[in-house]
Amino acid sequence: MSKYTKQDIMQMVEDEDVEFIRLQFTDMFGTLKNVAITKSQLEKALNNQCMFDGSSIEGFVRIEESDMYLYPDLDTFVIFPWRPQQGKVARIICDIYRPDGKPFEGDPRYILRRTIAEAAELGYQFNVGPECEFFLFHTDDEGRPTTISHERAGYFDLGPVDLGENARRDMVLTLEDMGFEIEASHHEAAPAQHEIDFKYDEAMRTADNIMTFKLAVKTIAKRFGLFASFMPKPKQGINGSGMHINVSVSKDGKNIFADPSDELGLSQEAYYFIGGIMKHMKGMTAITNPLINSYKRLIPGFEAPVYIAWSGTNRSPLIRIPAARGEGTRVELRSPDSAANPYLALAVCLAAGLDGIKNKIMPPKPVNGNVFDMTAEEMEALNIQALPADLNEAIEELEKDNFIQEVLGNHASQKYAEAKREEWAAYRQQITDWEIDEYLYKI
């Protein structure tokens, strides 16, 4: 049931002295876009009459079919707390529709909505909690981002060693002003690396929250003369930044993953959900880890998963079961990073798990030892396979997995694969400093 009506939005804009409204949407690759309007145009926008050029958005449509309409989701209305107190700025997240009134099949929000609707037909609701990591780097004299940081803080360190503590505090306070419930924030393992965790929510709201979170974090960082980067692996030799996805499924208000009679406290549905993710993990990886740089994070020795296995006791496999049980029982997928489009990433993760539940896909036995310490022979005996090693391999796996392509739909899967192949081709043409240092003097 909607929280706001059109009249509510109009009244809040008037009462709060809002002058500008940003109609936000997300492109296929997870980049936030917007059309800004003044309050004089608000009623028109709320009547779904605001049009934009879809051919200008990467991965959307051709120029001959460019007209697209923004349909505001009224419940996403929020006032930006960092803008002026007179003539305030608000935003509303929008769905994208074609001129004939049909949802645009390449809209990432629509793709996630389809998966949520499929679950709802079975009486299920997905609850998702992300763990978003990011770096805070210095900017240069012209305000451009660098990868420089003076701090040397590590996991859970505090000020004065943690030089980003003040910025992180303001981020938390700003997010709370925008309606987030922040559960924890702390310095992460690598210098200049941070994490802010907000409470789980229904899948669509969580995806919206991730996009809002990234915007708020970047905005507040800039106020401190810093640049917030969600790049998976900006520096060699240190941990990269992930976006672990914690999922539970409820039915009739009850967490169906919990079963106190089971040895691990997990229900059959929880096991099936894990089985579905493991079955489709290779095909999902191009979505959950969308950049060439994503695969610099997915290497042994830096806490990120490399192998497709699960465990209830340790953090080395792809999937783990956090200690909480009962209503807190959840499945944590550890491979995704914050460069992923959250709508697409949640869509493929949830659809894969739902496929496991519907088709009763049992996972292999849990791996309770450190996967990184296993020999190749031991992993082969347990049939433990590796995630794709690079973006090219990930795209090949996506094109093999018909189920994941169906989740995305023909338009999105084709456009996405085409764009990522172009990205890979451009990367292959580059001559890196490492190659020069390694080969030039030898040959």
Side-chain angles (χ1 to χ4, degrees):
M1 187 174 180
S2 295
K3 181 170 62 174
Y4 297 134
T5 65
K6 293 179 185 179
Q7 290 70 30
D8 292 334
I9 302 293
M10 300 281 286
Q11 192 63 52
M12 284 188 289
V13 165
E14 192 64 36
D15 293 345
E16 296 291 336
D17 189 28
V18 174
E19 286 294 338
F20 287 90
I21 301 94
R22 298 188 179 275
L23 305 177
Q24 295 182 341
F25 61 99
T26 302
D27 73 10
M28 191 178 296
F29 307 106
T31 302
L32 189 64
K33 305 288 186 179
N34 81 186
V35 174
I37 61 171
T38 62
K39 68 178 182 182
S40 66
Q41 300 299 304
L42 178 59
E43 186 172 6
K44 175 182 174 182
L46 295 179
N47 288 328
N48 305 326
Q49 295 172 346
C50 188
M51 188 173 66
F52 73 101
D53 179 7
S55 67
S56 299
I57 307 300
E58 190 176 5
F60 271 24
V61 292
R62 300 168 297 179
I63 195 165
E64 62 267 26
E65 51 183 6
S66 61
D67 289 346
M68 312 291 277
Y69 284 84
L70 294 172
Y71 282 36
D73 181 339
L74 305 186
D75 289 348
T76 64
F77 176 87
V78 69
I79 297 171
F80 289 147
W82 57 79
R83 299 298 291 177
Q85 291 307 298
Q86 284 79 39
K88 296 177 185 176
V89 179
R91 78 92 204 271
I92 307 177
I93 297 174
C94 300
D95 295 303
I96 302 170
Y97 278 70
R98 290 186 177 275
D100 61 5
K102 294 180 180 178
F104 170 49
E105 62 274 22
D107 177 13
R109 224 167 172 258
Y110 170 68
I111 292 168
L112 176 57
R113 196 182 301 283
R114 279 202 315 249
T115 301
I116 293 171
E118 183 181 353
E121 289 178 2
L122 301 174
Y124 297 143
Q125 176 179 303
F126 294 123
N127 298 305
V128 184
E131 300 173 31
C132 299
E133 298 172 344
F134 57 94
F135 284 88
L136 290 177
F137 291 128
H138 294 312
T139 55
D140 65 17
D141 292 340
E142 296 178 347
R144 294 174 299 197
T146 71
T147 57
I148 298 170
S149 173
H150 293 156
E151 68 147 75
R152 297 184 180 181
Y155 205 45
F156 290 147
D157 279 347
L158 64 161
V161 177
D162 175 6
L163 300 181
E165 186 176 64
N166 289 339
R168 197 174 65 239
R169 179 198 62 214
D170 278 16
M171 292 168 187
V172 168
L173 295 175
T174 298
L175 289 164
E176 288 186 334
D177 282 346
M178 298 178 77
F180 282 69
E181 182 176 338
I182 303 299
E183 295 188 326
S185 68
H186 60 88
H187 196 285
E188 259 294 338
Q193 189 182 35
H194 303 264
E195 179 177 319
I196 298 175
D197 299 327
F198 50 90
K199 187 177 180 181
Y200 73 87
D201 209 327
E202 179 274 328
M204 183 65 76
R205 282 195 291 270
T206 294
D208 288 341
N209 284 342
I210 292 170
M211 295 304 299
T212 302
F213 172 86
K214 293 167 76 171
L215 175 63
V217 165
K218 284 180 173 289
T219 300
I220 301 306
K222 189 173 181 180
R223 283 189 169 182
F224 283 81
L226 299 169
F227 180 80
S229 176
F230 291 88
M231 183 177 176
K233 186 85 167 187
K235 300 186 78 169
Q236 181 181 346
I238 62 173
N239 286 14
S241 290
M243 184 180 70
H244 302 167
I245 295 175
N246 294 268
V247 182
S248 64
V249 177
S250 60
K251 187 172 186 178
D252 299 325
K254 182 180 179 182
N255 185 345
I256 66 168
F257 280 0
D259 183 357
S261 67
D262 178 72
E263 180 182 2
L264 295 178
L266 301 177
S267 67
Q268 280 297 114
E269 288 88 352
Y271 287 114
Y272 295 150
F273 193 91
I274 294 167
I277 290 179
M278 292 181 70
K279 176 182 177 181
H280 295 292
M281 193 62 235
K282 288 185 178 181
M284 292 160 44
T285 299
I287 305 299
T288 58
N289 305 87
L291 305 183
I292 287 164
N293 181 256
S294 296
Y295 300 85
K296 307 296 177 70
R297 168 179 166 259
L298 299 178
I299 57 175
F302 296 97
E303 296 190 12
V306 179
Y307 302 107
I308 302 174
W310 75 280
S311 173
T313 58
N314 77 80
R315 295 172 182 264
S316 64
L318 172 75
I319 296 169
R320 82 176 185 104
I321 310 301
R325 289 296 183 267
E327 284 304 303
T329 305
R330 61 192 186 275
V331 171
E332 179 187 24
L333 180 63
R334 296 174 55 79
S335 61
D337 61 55
S338 293
N341 181 323
Y343 301 100
L344 299 185
L346 294 191
V348 296
C349 290
L350 301 177
L354 190 61
D355 184 50
I357 292 175
K358 290 168 67 176
N359 293 294
K360 299 183 178 180
I361 301 171
M362 279 296 291
K365 292 181 179 180
V367 177
N368 295 324
N370 188 338
V371 183
F372 297 128
D373 290 340
M374 292 184 178
T375 65
E377 291 76 15
E378 288 172 328
M379 285 194 286
E380 184 177 358
L382 293 171
N383 194 30
I384 297 175
Q385 299 182 41
L387 292 169
D390 55 44
L391 183 60
N392 185 55
E393 186 180 336
I395 292 298
E396 290 176 351
E397 292 294 342
L398 171 61
E399 292 176 335
K400 291 178 187 175
D401 195 324
N402 292 330
F403 176 82
I404 296 299
Q405 291 185 71
E406 289 174 5
V407 173
L408 298 173
N410 288 335
H411 178 96
S413 61
Q414 291 177 14
K415 293 287 187 182
Y416 191 92
E418 287 172 8
K420 291 302 172 180
R421 286 206 180 282
E422 290 177 7
E423 188 175 336
W424 178 255
Y427 172 68
R428 288 186 61 210
Q429 296 175 34
Q430 304 304 308
I431 309 300
T432 64
D433 290 343
W434 182 90
E435 292 169 272
I436 298 298
D437 293 340
E438 184 71 14
Y439 301 128
L440 186 64
Y441 79 100
K442 291 181 180 178
I443 308 302

